Amino acid sequence: MAFYDSSISVFQVTDTGAVLRDISAYITQIGGVPGVRELTDVTSLVDTGKKWNPSIEDVTITLELLWSEDASVGPDTVLGPLRTDTTARAWDYGPEGKVTGDIKYSGTCFVRSYEVVSRVGSHVVARAELKVNGVVTRGTYA
């Protein structure tokens, strides 16, 4: 059984210039992947227990980040412009890193929300919700 330190996790998203940007150095938490799959109730009158039929995915990726406007890879530089972008952008997430053979979750998304938070006595942080467009694919890095 293998366990991994989250410091090797990788999250990348394509910016408005169609370049895949690794914003891992700014992320403090990732959640929501691989995500929720809806189940449709197909229970009939004669059933004695609930029955379900697998339906569509409804995945929201949540990111908590240290805010930065660093060129090319800062969260504000990459995610800020994507909040109003109308093109689904590619993303991938490697919980165990991105070495050949490591698990990779990927897909396309829209930035549903991007919020910058300042609080007395704390670093400036940001939170983002990325709404997956379609399904999450599970594969490996090549």
Side-chain angles (χ1 to χ4, degrees):
M1 184 176 335
F3 297 99
Y4 299 91
D5 187 297
S6 62
S7 67
I8 62 173
S9 295
V10 173
F11 187 86
Q12 303 176 118
V13 63
T14 304
D15 66 12
T16 56
V19 176
L20 192 63
R21 302 291 185 181
D22 184 345
I23 60 172
S24 308
Y26 304 92
I27 296 175
T28 59
Q29 183 172 322
I30 300 172
V33 180
V36 175
R37 177 179 69 165
E38 299 295 328
L39 298 173
T40 306
D41 187 344
V42 293
T43 309
S44 71
L45 294 175
V46 298
D47 289 326
T48 57
K50 286 279 194 179
K51 289 187 179 176
W52 302 96
N53 190 45
S55 186
I56 62 174
E57 291 187 16
D58 184 14
V59 179
T60 301
I61 301 168
T62 58
L63 302 175
E64 293 184 14
L65 313 110
L66 298 170
W67 184 87
S68 172
E69 62 175 350
D70 289 347
S72 302
V73 294
D76 201 63
T77 306
V78 176
L79 298 175
L82 294 180
R83 191 183 68 76
T84 57
D85 192 26
T86 57
T87 302
R89 300 295 174 170
W91 62 272
D92 68 63
Y93 170 46
E96 60 184 335
K98 62 177 184 177
V99 176
T100 300
D102 286 350
I103 298 299
K104 173 176 77 169
Y105 295 98
S106 61
T108 61
C109 69
F110 292 99
V111 174
R112 180 178 182 200
S113 70
Y114 174 69
E115 174 183 9
V116 179
V117 181
S118 295
R119 181 179 172 167
V120 173
S122 295
H123 289 85
V124 178
V125 296
R127 291 186 280 250
E129 285 188 358
L130 286 58
K131 197 69 175 167
V132 172
N133 190 46
V135 299
V136 173
T137 302
R138 184 181 186 274
T140 58
Y141 285 96

